[in-house]
Amino acid sequence: MKEIGISELKAKCIDKLKTIQRTGEPLLVTLRKRPVAVISPYIGKTPHKRELGTLRGKITIHGDIVGTDFPDEWEFEQ
């Protein structure tokens, strides 16, 4: 496991987090050569990437989706 001082981590945080994500190797954070924390990659279900157009042809709209049965419900009162 690689080791990094807390001040160096502060200066290079984003880069180090991306490295952890890419390599999967945890990182030991130290303060004055004493271990403080371990940063490890998140291992879990990654969010499903939704693609545009995947529902095309699966939904059918019947009737008027803009109109209403209650015309006075949409009136604006001043």
Side-chain angles (χ1 to χ4, degrees), residues 8-78:
E8 184 182 352
L9 177 64
K10 183 179 175 185
K12 302 175 182 179
C13 184
I14 294 174
D15 183 49
K16 293 299 178 184
L17 290 175
K18 286 180 180 179
T19 302
I20 292 168
Q21 183 183 29
R22 187 181 66 249
T23 64
E25 183 181 350
L27 183 65
L28 176 66
V29 182
T30 61
L31 176 62
R32 297 186 191 106
K33 301 290 182 185
R34 291 185 174 185
V36 176
V38 174
I39 302 175
S40 60
Y42 176 73
I43 300 172
K45 215 173 190 180
T46 57
H48 179 248
K49 185 176 179 183
R50 205 171 88 186
E51 295 182 24
L52 291 176
T54 55
L55 294 177
R56 178 174 278 170
K58 295 183 181 184
I59 297 174
T60 306
I61 299 173
H62 299 281
D64 185 8
I65 63 170
V66 179
T68 178
D69 292 336
F70 309 102
D72 59 332
E73 188 176 303
W74 294 98
E75 295 293 320
F76 177 73
E77 297 178 22
Q78 293 184 353

